Amino acid sequence: MSDTFMGYLRKDDKIGIRNHIAIIPSVFCSAKVAERIAYQVPGSVYFRHPVGCSQVGEDLEVTAKTLIAIGNNPNFAGVVVVGLGCERFSPYELANGIAPSKKMLETVVIQEEGDSLAAIQKGSRIAREMQQMASRQVRVEFPVSELMIGLNCGGSDMTSGLIANPALGHASDKLVNQGGSSILSEITELIGTEKILARRAVNEEVASEIMDTVRRTEDKLFKQTQQSSNKARTHLISTGNYDGGLSSVVEKSLGSMKKSGKAQFSGVIQYGHQPKSKGLFLLDSPGHDGEVSTGLVAAGAQIILFPTGRGTPTGFPGVPVIKITGNPKTYERMKENIDINAGEVLLGNRTLEQMGEEIYQEILEVASGKQMKAEILGHDEQFCITRLP
């Protein structure tokens, strides 16, 4: 019998673990209005971004797909789209893309309302009504197969690859083995491991996709570093990673891949898209924490698991981020930001398997409503749409 959690059933049969109202601007020009609407309606979250206009081609397409996918994430019971009225990515296109989810949905356009004050007044009223409706919904029991977790990390040190990431890998395997889904990301931090990952593919086609995805990223990084006139800007890992005991991008990659455990890869997901089946996936994503987390939520992840050796306070709007550190000193220093002290393994108080079970149980509790520290403190910095050159 599989494990269960308590979640919210949506009209499109997806399962949410939070019940927020999302306030999504279609363009940066309407971001402040969206923020003011969210500020007046507790239980709502907003998505500030700097795009939506003066973009062309695939760059604009990625923005459109990502914003639509964020609106479709099942953690949101309703969405208020806020537009200016003359942007290239129309607020009505955004709303139409979210409409198939059958969730509560309204559009507010500043130029049509007359001014920002009128738009704020209308949007706030709509969001309040949605929040009132959402508050009537109750959690019910679902099998863990309805969960999708996103695997991301930031501020890595030597304990990340030795403890936090492999412990998370145990938790990911347990979820996937019961029919759930898990998504490995950060291609820039998987360079050098592509053959190892490809050997875990369900078939040759997926193996080839994994190899091609990592190689494309490596080629892109090679060109960018060759073009730089500042040699200090060509390092593929941060100074914080070096200070934390990591020697090279390959060493970091070998530790980073351990977040995915030992399960087979079912496929590669393109940024802004959702998988069509369940299992373990690789997300074709950059290395920027915010862009990665945004891609994971756009893919449908209800929770993000985030190992951090050096420590970080960041979170994502409307999606819980479980912070894990393998460094006991980091945990003691940042107790108000870190949720799980996997450094207990380093101290000899837990085995990796025991810590993996602890992380897995935390996933179930968070899915059933337990709030993470980033949520409680209002951290939402990880929303960041990727831009194409």
Side-chain angles (χ1 to χ4, degrees):
M1 183 176 179
S2 68
D3 294 319
T4 61
F5 69 99
M6 304 297 289
Y8 299 100
L9 177 64
R10 304 302 182 202
K11 291 183 178 180
D12 62 354
D13 293 328
K14 293 181 180 179
I15 312 302
I17 67 165
R18 296 294 183 265
N19 213 29
H20 297 295
I21 305 303
I23 317 298
I24 306 179
S26 58
V27 65
F28 77 97
C29 315
S30 57
K32 179 55 70 173
V33 169
E35 179 183 1
R36 293 288 175 82
I37 292 170
Y39 179 77
Q40 294 188 46
V41 184
S44 65
V45 293
Y46 82 102
F47 291 84
R48 175 184 291 278
H49 62 81
V51 289
C53 204
S54 297
Q55 294 176 274
V56 295
E58 187 62 19
D59 185 35
L60 180 59
E61 188 67 15
V62 169
T63 291
K65 288 179 178 177
T66 304
L67 287 174
I68 288 171
I70 292 292
N72 279 311
N73 188 284
N75 280 9
F76 307 120
V79 178
V80 179
V81 172
V82 183
L84 176 60
C86 57
E87 58 267 45
R88 183 163 293 185
F89 179 43
S90 163
Y92 295 108
E93 181 183 350
L94 174 54
N96 288 338
I98 299 171
S101 66
K102 302 177 185 178
K103 62 183 64 181
M104 295 179 286
L105 176 66
E106 294 286 350
T107 303
V108 177
V109 181
I110 297 170
Q111 291 172 350
E112 293 179 7
E113 296 306 319
D115 56 33
S116 60
L117 294 178
I120 292 168
Q121 183 179 31
K122 179 177 180 179
S124 300
R125 176 181 55 77
I126 291 171
R128 282 197 302 271
E129 292 172 353
M130 287 185 179
Q131 185 58 46
Q132 195 168 40
M133 291 294 293
S135 69
R136 299 168 62 184
Q137 190 170 6
V138 297
R139 291 180 180 269
V140 293
E141 190 174 27
F142 296 99
V144 73
S145 58
E146 295 293 343
L147 282 180
M148 179 188 292
I149 61 172
L151 312 177
N152 191 6
C153 63
S156 299
D157 69 1
M158 65 177 182
T159 69
S160 297
L162 290 173
I163 298 171
N165 291 346
L168 175 54
H170 282 285
S172 176
D173 280 345
K174 187 166 184 177
L175 182 75
V176 171
N177 288 340
Q178 294 186 78
S181 297
S182 181
I183 308 174
L184 180 64
S185 57
E186 298 174 291
I187 304 302
T188 55
E189 297 179 7
L190 295 174
I191 293 172
T193 67
E194 58 270 23
K195 291 183 179 179
I196 302 173
L197 298 177
R199 286 198 292 267
R200 291 166 51 194
V202 294
N203 55 44
E204 288 298 322
E205 181 181 356
V206 173
S208 180
E209 289 178 354
I210 291 172
M211 294 290 291
D212 290 345
T213 298
V214 178
R215 285 172 177 169
R216 280 197 306 271
T217 297
E218 187 172 9
D219 289 343
K220 179 181 177 181
L221 289 174
F222 178 78
K223 292 177 182 177
Q224 290 175 335
T225 55
Q226 293 302 303
Q227 293 169 355
S228 176
S229 59
N230 187 335
K231 293 302 179 184
R233 309 293 190 204
T234 63
H235 298 173
L236 295 183
I237 64 175
S238 70
T239 54
N241 294 151
Y242 282 124
D243 293 341
L246 294 172
S247 65
S248 67
V249 68
V250 175
E251 183 180 8
K252 185 176 183 180
S253 296
L254 289 169
S256 182
M257 64 170 279
K258 292 181 180 179
K259 295 194 296 289
S260 64
K262 299 178 180 179
Q264 287 188 311
F265 282 94
S266 298
V268 177
I269 309 170
Q270 296 304 307
Y271 198 91
H273 291 74
Q274 300 80 42
K276 296 180 180 179
S277 60
K278 295 185 179 183
L280 175 65
F281 296 90
L282 180 66
L283 174 67
D284 189 355
S285 56
H288 183 287
D289 291 344
E291 293 176 340
V292 171
S293 292
T294 300
L296 292 170
V297 175
Q302 302 119 314
I303 307 174
I304 295 172
L305 281 296
F306 198 102
T308 174
R310 305 277 292 178
T312 176
T314 57
F316 196 94
V319 175
V321 179
I322 303 177
K323 296 290 180 50
I324 308 162
T325 187
N327 190 325
K329 292 183 179 179
T330 297
Y331 181 77
E332 289 301 321
R333 189 174 62 250
M334 299 187 70
K335 275 186 176 179
E336 295 304 320
N337 298 118
I338 308 296
D339 300 294
I340 297 177
N341 180 15
E344 290 293 313
V345 176
L346 188 65
L347 298 175
N349 299 326
R350 301 275 200 290
T351 64
L352 278 175
E353 291 77 11
Q354 288 171 335
M355 185 52 62
E357 179 64 25
E358 185 174 322
I359 293 171
Y360 174 77
Q361 293 300 326
E362 187 78 346
I363 291 171
L364 297 183
E365 288 193 41
V366 172
S368 296
K370 179 181 178 180
Q371 286 203 318
M372 293 292 89
K373 292 174 182 177
E375 289 182 279
I376 294 169
L377 296 175
H379 284 288
D380 59 2
E381 305 90 337
Q382 288 184 21
F383 175 65
C384 180
I385 296 175
T386 190
R387 294 295 306 272
L388 299 182

